Amino acid sequence: MKLWIEEPKRIPVWITLGRTVLIPKTQDLTLAKDYRPITCLNTSYKIFTATLAKYVKNHVVENEIWDENQMGTCENVLGTVDQLIIDNAIMGEVKDYHRNLAVAYYDYQKAYDMVHHDWMLRVYDWMGIPEKICKVIKKLMNGWKTRLEVKTNKEVLLSRWINIKKGFLQEDTYSPIGFCLTEIPVMMMLQETDGYKMGLPGDRQLKRTHSLFIDDLKTYQENHVKLELANNILVQASLDTGAMYGVKKCAKIIFERGKMVKGNGLQIMGERIEALNPENNEIYKFLGCEQAAGSDMTRILVRVESEMRKRMIAITEMSLYDKNMIKAINCRVIPVAGYVMNVCRFTNKQLDELDKMIKSILKERKMHGRQCSNERLYLKRDAGGRGLKSLKDVYAETKVRVACYMANSKNKWIHEAWKREINKEGLSIKKEAECEMAQIDIKLELLEDEVRLEDERLEGDFQELWKVLKKEIKKKRKKKRLDSYKEKKMQSQTYMKLDIESHKWLTSNIDPKKVAAIVAMQEQMVETKAWKVHRGIGGNNDRCRLCKEYQENVMHLLSGCKVLAGTEYLRRHNNALMILCVEWGKLNGLLPPKTSWYKEKWEKGKIFENENQKMCWDFEYNLRKTTTARRPDVTIEDKNSKKILLIDMACPNENNIAEKRREKLTKYQQLAFEIRERRPGFEVTIVPIVIGCLGGGMKAVISQVKRLDFGEHKTNEICREMLKTVLFESESIIRKIISGLIQEN
């Protein structure tokens, strides 16, 4: 690439060739606008132009040519949020201090496609960009070509090669910065106008003429006359730059003494930009936020709720595993509201309603139990939850993040906006952020140019500062959520007996309905007879429908009903244990490598043996001395190391795990002693594998399975599969009983 910069002639012709795929946007494909063009470019080209873009941007910034009102392509900023923060401050001033203001919104029509190439080169020359870089850019521009591709039912149609004679190459990594540079001379002319003077009464020295993010432009002036002068600059400049405006997507707003009024429009390119009429509740969407006399929360909420609902329905209709579904919701649904939270204020009721909407859709699709706790839903997966983000949590975190950013920002307009927040008598971003932190027992102080955490000043830039705060927020919120969960005695009863390893099943690929059912089972939120009586909907009879002897609750149905002992419980036990045995058999050459545990059905006394290893399934020892316990579930013998493992498994309820483990150790002591006598020199070890019917005791299970020498990774993998199988079988038992598939004999 360095060679290409030194000798542009050596840049190969093929590197600038693109392929523009036309993606249908609607069913009616008769017009060009019904397609979305996506241009595919050579990776080497994109890497090269990304390097050029970085060099050019650094040159412009270092020489103080960059338009400081432009937040597009900038690093270490919030981007569009910066512009909305400044805009909100201006609109707040206008309203609070009854000031005059005239603003205009401009929509560039096909911004990247319309800029004249000669204008680009003139701008680069004026900026003092080195000649060799300009030659390289010119060489690339002269080579820009693409072919249109359209897929039909029968074939792929390709157009002839099309030369790009104006504008930028679509999907080029250089295009965003290249476009921003072409706007700088025009914006410099705008900065010569009077603009709007920001600041508190008596201290209005800071001028703002425009806000710009790539091609989204909003101009500010004190009145209509001055706004027309600014508008004329843009009109005249467009003749040189080639810029075109989608006039129907442009707008103007006039404020007189703090109130929005109907004003005259603006003439541009032979058309008219209309002024918004407050009597008709007209709004304009700027950088993703509906605006008129400030942000229009009513319209914003309607749009946000509608879009979130649409995305929720689409995601839950996909065939996604639970962890991927939750991730999709967090990445595609939550940000719809999350973005707006940066600059808009939501009430607790509004946030609750949005959270409720998400949960209601999950419940409708049986992806979240109707009586299950919100705490498990919002906890991280490594803590036994499902990892869904709460809108209330996102809102609190967003407000803290924005407030800290403003307090730490060196941007003069952001700083001015922050001064306004500090001096507000009512609710402000500063007060909201401090209050949100106080609710999770964190003391945060936000000063004009300082952030203090627990009375200690936080040093560093915003990224460093936010890293510290985010870590503290995460720790405190987890504790608060767990404390709240523990107060729900019935729902948290099982959870409190689970260790961190008992949550590993949540990392597996599992259907959301299955996950929801297992969580409901762990929280005792299953329609057993005891649950119905407790809820006052099942009469007074809480006896088990199968054995008639004990209270019918989750624990009884999963581990205490004698009717299920020889069938459902045995199948659960055997399936989980089979995973361990099959994997050990494959590792030691006793079973073919592709053996699947769920296909194996071993009879009592089954033996697998080779010259080095031996494995016995449900084998009864016939020794001279008498003992009642002669049939461990599995016996594994390593002939080389002279080690014998007596493996016995159980799936009791979570209250009896420790007792059951001790029972296994005691039960087979005599058998182990007899085997040692019969096999001198052999080390005999009892290996109790006790997995609670709801997943408890996994830390101890892992320590026992390690005796089989699988290695750490394989051990964890096997234990996770065993855990998952136990939970799946337990859920199946509950489901079959509740649905009537298992009935009294």
Side-chain angles (χ1 to χ4, degrees), residues 399-540:
K399 289 304 176 187
V400 174
R401 175 172 168 263
V402 171
C404 291
Y405 176 77
M406 293 176 71
N408 196 257
S409 178
K410 301 298 185 267
N411 182 296
K412 59 187 178 184
W413 290 288
I414 297 288
H415 183 70
E416 190 63 44
W418 182 238
K419 283 168 55 181
R420 168 177 162 77
E421 292 296 322
I422 290 176
N423 288 278
K424 269 188 180 180
E425 292 184 1
L427 192 60
S428 65
I429 296 174
K430 165 186 158 61
K431 293 174 184 176
E432 227 180 344
E434 291 175 342
C435 185
E436 292 288 355
M437 293 290 271
Q439 290 183 15
I440 52 174
D441 303 320
I442 297 175
K443 184 180 179 182
L444 180 70
E445 292 179 272
L446 297 163
L447 308 176
E448 185 171 335
D449 56 357
E450 180 182 355
V451 177
R452 301 182 70 85
L453 178 64
E454 305 296 345
D455 297 322
E456 294 289 332
R457 177 170 180 161
L458 294 181
E459 303 292 345
D461 61 20
F462 170 69
Q463 299 299 334
E464 295 170 322
L465 183 151
W466 178 238
K467 187 177 180 181
V468 173
L469 277 172
K470 196 172 182 180
K471 183 179 179 180
E472 190 68 16
I473 290 170
K474 183 180 179 181
K475 182 177 71 174
K476 292 284 189 176
R477 182 171 288 143
K478 180 181 178 180
K479 181 182 182 302
K480 194 172 182 67
R481 183 153 282 141
L482 284 173
D483 288 344
S484 174
Y485 189 37
K486 291 173 185 177
E487 292 176 0
K488 300 179 178 181
K489 301 298 184 183
M490 188 173 184
Q491 290 162 305
S492 68
Q493 182 181 357
T494 299
Y495 179 89
M496 299 308 299
K497 296 180 174 69
L498 303 179
D499 55 53
I500 190 169
E501 299 297 334
S502 298
H503 304 317
K504 292 293 177 68
W505 68 279
L506 286 160
T507 63
S508 302
N509 295 330
I510 308 174
D511 181 85
K513 294 180 182 179
K514 180 73 73 175
V515 174
I518 292 172
V519 171
M521 179 177 69
Q522 289 181 332
E523 292 196 335
Q524 317 291 315
M525 292 295 109
V526 177
E527 293 185 1
T528 62
K529 293 177 76 173
W531 183 87
K532 288 183 176 180
V533 171
H534 178 73
R535 293 281 174 174
I537 58 175
N540 298 318

Side-chain angles (χ1 to χ4, degrees), residues 287-305:
L287 299 178
C289 285
E290 288 81 354
Q291 294 186 340
S295 298
D296 190 320
M297 279 303 298
T298 303
R299 307 273 186 103
I300 289 173
L301 277 170
V302 170
R303 173 181 59 81
V304 164
E305 196 274 341

